[in-house]
Amino acid sequence: MKAKYIKITYALAALLGCSSCGDFLEVEPQDKIILDKFWNERADVESVVSSCYSSLQSSACIKRMMIWGEARSENMDAGNNMDKDVNLENIFKANITSTNPYTNWVDFYYVINTCNTVIKYAPEVAAKDPGYTESELKATIAEVSALRDLCYFYLIRTFRDVPYTTEPYLDDDQTMDLPATPFNEVLDNLIADLESVKNDAVRYYPTSKPLYQTARITSTAIKAMLCEMYLWKQDYQKCVDYANLVIQDMKDLKEKNDKQNSSSMMNEDEELEGYPLIPTRYTYGMNIYGIDYAEIFGTGNSSESIFELTFMQDDNMPANYAVSDFYGNATNVMGFMSASSYVGSDVSQKQFKVFNNQLDCRNYQAIMSAGSTYSICKYAWRICQVEATGTSAANATVEALYANLYPEKHVQANWIIYRLSDIMLMKAEALTQLMSDAADGGLTEADQDYLNQAFRLVTVINKRALCQYPRKDTLKVDDYKTKSDIENLVLNERRRELMFEGKRWYDLVRRARRDGKTDYLKSESCNKYSSNKQLVESKLTRMDAIYWPYNYDELKVNKNLKQNPAFGSGLNDSYE
């Protein structure tokens, strides 16, 4: 039973069969590896690093990124065929128990343990293989440290306090029934770890391997992680500092790529104010919009991507089954998840309470209405073009579901962890928190400067999304006179920009931690409920309840874990 906890047999079941770095992203499961016959040369290390990525690409991991980051928010509700996944249906009903398998964290600890193993054995390989240089060893350790820290970051945002170790688990004699380490202590450890390796990571991968720049960890990806972690730590100046570093890195990368590729599709757009975002308007049609969607979510690995889990456009390679099951495919246009009626009514009833106006491309690119149901377009569709000829009319054309091109369920959509607009909005949020607490009663000159900076970041992203040219300001800075006003605007823009990307519930949890109460989280997340709204609000009154319970099986094998008090003892009669 002890071995059930976070034990990983040294099978590396997801290990890639790569004979060179060129095959790094081609995920093909292999047989078991014997530990003492393996760690001899650089290629061995590279293979295990590859397995870290392929494990994160697993349906189990990506589904949890979706569920933990979105399902409890107002964005989502139950979709079709819920009888095939009653555990997901219970989450949408706010009926979360410790026996729900989506509380299982073993797949993330699998990646953590594999990363810990690389950190342990890579130096020994460097001592044996003269071709494995010190700088390459440091880059490897930086890469897997970041992947490990990313997994822990998902875990603490979901469960709050979690078992934390940097030692690999290699045999059954090790004691692994660790107690949960407090959230803040884990977060501090993650930040310290990333700070120690950030300068060792690769900055630019070779141009002969263009996917690596966004499909593998870079120094920019580590800075993006630090930007978000400092936001959660409530060290807002550090968050702003790292956001600035990321933005500059992305500008430098664009300049570098533009010099190498004179036919780059990244067209200059003065309304982007120098930020290397992809304009939304197609150059061949003045009234056709959506090229940003096609590049970011369709083609993938776009010029504004920082890090994404990449799936090869190849029938013979694994697909993104999580998107196929949850968001849909050509056979099932609506998956197990749907857009909630709260956000879906922006399309069908033209209420625009979420997207503000009907000229926001993201409205049509995220959601498609069919009567009273609303399927999720983002990720499931390769192309979403919006035609708008005036200021009050827009028509969306979505096409090329992945299953039209590949066998059923072969959705090849990448899963994006960080992209530039996400970082810009983190910076905007941090700027709002640098305003004085008294800013709601009147703005000082410094407060007004912070407000103006945050507003400009929101405006650039908001205007980029408008199917209108030349674009007109739909947001007016004079409408935002207090700290609360601008704080809410930033979070609303994050909801519009990052909808269905596994971000919204974490944004609400971060806000609740900052406020020290759940009022805002309750108000927003319960917008999707009607019949049992008061019951759900009552549950979410407790701060403990915004996190998830520990899985029942983990409590059985690890007696040092104490269940989240919002979920009782973890036992229930049906399980008994």
Side-chain angles (χ1 to χ4, degrees):
M1 292 299 291
K2 179 180 72 174
K4 251 181 110 176
Y5 177 51
I6 46 180
K7 162 87 186 279
I8 304 172
T9 63
Y10 203 74
L12 294 180
L15 180 64
L16 307 191
C18 22
S19 57
S20 69
C21 293
D23 300 319
F24 187 91
L25 296 173
E26 297 180 6
V27 185
E28 295 178 353
Q30 297 293 302
D31 293 330
K32 292 185 179 182
I33 294 170
I34 298 175
L35 181 60
D36 59 1
K37 295 181 179 179
F38 183 70
W39 297 98
N40 293 305
E41 57 186 8
R42 176 185 173 183
D44 296 337
V45 176
E46 190 77 352
S47 293
V48 185
V49 174
S50 301
S51 78
C52 296
Y53 287 96
S54 61
S55 296
L56 268 179
Q57 285 177 293
S58 70
S59 179
C61 278
I62 295 180
K63 282 183 176 180
R64 280 160 179 77
M65 292 177 188
M66 292 173 163
I67 292 171
W68 294 348
E70 290 281 354
R72 297 176 71 183
S73 79
E74 74 277 30
N75 287 348
M76 279 187 177
D77 214 331
N80 286 341
N81 302 314
M82 290 309 300
D83 57 313
K84 296 180 180 178
D85 197 336
V86 294
N87 298 300
L88 181 58
E89 184 177 24
N90 280 329
I91 293 169
F92 287 126
K93 292 178 178 178
N95 180 26
I96 303 172
T97 68
S98 64
T99 58
N100 191 308
Y102 289 118
T103 63
N104 186 305
W105 58 28
V106 67
D107 296 282
F108 282 84
Y109 274 110
Y110 184 101
V111 179
I112 289 167
N113 194 63
T114 309
C115 292
N116 286 341
T117 305
V118 173
I119 293 169
K120 177 179 176 64
Y121 287 103
E124 296 180 15
V125 174
K128 297 176 186 177
D129 185 350
Y132 191 23
T133 67
E134 181 180 359
S135 63
E136 290 170 336
L137 170 63
K138 287 183 176 180
T140 296
I141 291 175
E143 185 172 16
V144 294
S145 294
L147 290 173
R148 174 185 65 189
D149 296 340
L150 179 66
C151 289
Y152 273 126
F153 193 39
Y154 270 104
L155 291 172
I156 62 172
R157 286 179 295 171
T158 305
F159 298 97
R160 187 170 51 190
D161 306 334
V162 301
Y164 176 80
T165 181
T166 57
E167 293 296 320
Y169 182 35
L170 301 174
D171 63 67
D172 287 342
D173 294 329
Q174 290 176 253
T175 301
M176 295 304 293
D177 51 344
L178 303 176
T181 302
F183 178 101
N184 287 329
E185 185 177 337
V186 177
L187 182 60
D188 286 344
N189 286 334
L190 302 184
I191 289 173
D193 190 33
L194 291 176
E195 290 279 14
S196 71
V197 301
K198 65 183 180 185
N199 295 325
D200 296 332
V202 172
R203 185 180 184 192
Y204 298 127
Y205 280 97
T207 55
S208 59
K209 304 182 188 301
L211 293 184
Y212 280 29
Q213 193 62 34
T214 52
R216 295 185 67 169
I217 291 290
T218 61
S219 60
T220 305
I222 291 178
K223 293 170 191 173
M225 291 173 62
L226 283 166
C227 175
E228 186 171 21
M229 288 179 185
Y230 278 119
L231 186 60
W232 280 79
K233 185 177 170 61
Q234 299 178 26
D235 187 336
Y236 298 115
Q237 187 56 56
K238 279 280 194 181
C239 174
V240 170
D241 293 343
Y242 271 103
N244 288 336
L245 290 173
V246 172
I247 291 167
Q248 187 59 53
D249 279 358
M250 298 300 285
K251 289 180 179 179
D252 292 345
L253 182 61
K254 177 186 182 300
E255 182 178 356
K256 178 176 181 288
N257 289 338
D258 284 350
K259 287 179 180 178
Q260 295 170 347
N261 181 15
S262 59
S263 63
S264 171
M265 292 187 68
M266 173 72 80
N267 300 311
E268 293 294 340
D269 188 328
E270 62 182 20
E271 292 173 335
L272 299 179
E273 298 189 11
Y275 291 100
L277 299 169
I278 303 170
T280 193
R281 187 170 61 98
Y282 281 90
T283 55
Y284 64 77
M286 289 296 291
N287 301 316
I288 306 297
Y289 302 84
I291 192 172
D292 55 330
Y293 179 93
E295 291 193 29
I296 296 168
F297 301 103
T299 306
N301 304 104
S302 74
S303 58
E304 66 178 73
S305 175
I306 298 169
F307 177 53
E308 56 192 68
L309 300 176
T310 299
F311 292 84
M312 303 299 289
Q313 302 290 319
D314 186 332
D315 276 2
N316 298 314
M317 304 308 294
N320 192 339
Y321 296 109
V323 167
S324 182
D325 288 344
F326 280 1
Y327 289 1
N329 54 59
T331 304
N332 300 301
V333 175
M334 180 182 288
F336 293 160
M337 291 176 167
S338 71
S340 70
S341 58
Y342 174 71
V343 297
S345 61
D346 269 18
V347 176
S348 66
Q349 300 172 31
K350 302 188 185 304
Q351 293 182 359
F352 305 111
K353 53 186 178 293
V354 174
F355 286 94
N356 281 345
N357 68 80
Q358 64 180 355
L359 294 179
D360 193 324
C361 276
R362 298 168 300 186
N363 185 4
Y364 309 98
Q365 293 164 347
I367 303 161
M368 181 174 65
S369 65
S372 60
T373 61
Y374 310 94
S375 62
I376 296 171
C377 296
K378 186 179 280 189
Y379 285 115
W381 298 86
R382 294 178 62 249
I383 297 171
C384 180
Q385 293 185 350
V386 180
E387 182 177 5
T389 56
T391 59
S392 60
N395 252 339
T397 301
V398 289
E399 58 183 271
L401 270 165
Y402 277 93
N404 288 334
L405 301 177
Y406 303 99
E408 183 181 355
K409 287 198 170 184
H410 254 65
V411 174
Q412 300 292 337
N414 297 344
W415 184 256
I416 300 171
I417 306 295
Y418 290 112
R419 56 189 180 98
L420 179 57
S421 57
D422 186 8
I423 301 301
M424 292 169 65
L425 290 170
M426 288 184 203
K427 177 182 175 181
E429 184 177 338
L431 287 166
T432 69
Q433 298 311 304
L434 288 172
M435 298 172 69
S436 62
D437 289 337
D440 281 343
L443 300 183
T444 65
E445 184 176 343
D447 291 333
Q448 188 65 56
D449 182 54
Y450 288 134
L451 186 152
N452 290 342
Q453 289 184 60
F455 180 81
R456 290 313 305 164
L457 287 162
V458 170
T459 300
V460 169
I461 292 167
N462 188 273
K463 286 178 72 172
R464 187 267 289 266
L466 295 180
C467 39
Q468 178 187 66
Y469 196 83
R471 297 176 183 87
K472 298 179 181 179
D473 287 322
T474 58
L475 302 174
K476 306 294 184 184
V477 69
D478 291 342
D479 293 336
Y480 304 93
K481 301 182 183 302
T482 68
K483 179 178 179 178
S484 296
D485 288 344
I486 192 67
E487 182 180 21
N488 291 342
L489 172 67
V490 171
L491 286 178
N492 286 336
E493 190 64 24
R494 283 187 61 81
R495 175 173 57 191
R496 290 186 282 265
E497 176 71 10
L498 304 169
M499 187 173 287
F500 309 133
E501 295 182 46
K503 305 282 185 177
R504 179 59 176 172
W505 183 254
Y506 290 141
D507 285 353
L508 294 175
V509 171
R510 184 173 64 252
R511 171 69 181 263
R513 288 178 62 87
R514 183 162 66 228
D515 293 346
K517 56 186 179 181
T518 66
D519 292 4
Y520 183 86
L521 178 147
K522 281 193 304 181
S523 172
E524 295 296 312
S525 64
C526 289
N527 276 320
K528 70 179 180 182
Y529 293 104
S530 54
S531 59
N532 61 342
K533 183 174 182 177
Q534 288 185 332
L535 176 61
V536 179
E537 286 179 335
S538 176
K539 288 183 178 181
L540 291 175
T541 298
R542 299 181 62 177
M543 284 290 290
D544 295 328
I546 68 178
Y547 302 98
W548 291 64
Y550 297 134
N551 185 269
Y552 182 86
D553 288 339
E554 299 296 338
L555 294 171
K556 289 197 299 182
V557 298
N558 184 355
K559 302 303 181 183
N560 289 315
L561 270 186
K562 305 301 180 185
Q563 182 60 281
N564 180 332
F567 297 93
S569 67
L571 306 176
N572 64 50
D573 292 339
S574 62
Y575 190 87
E576 294 285 338

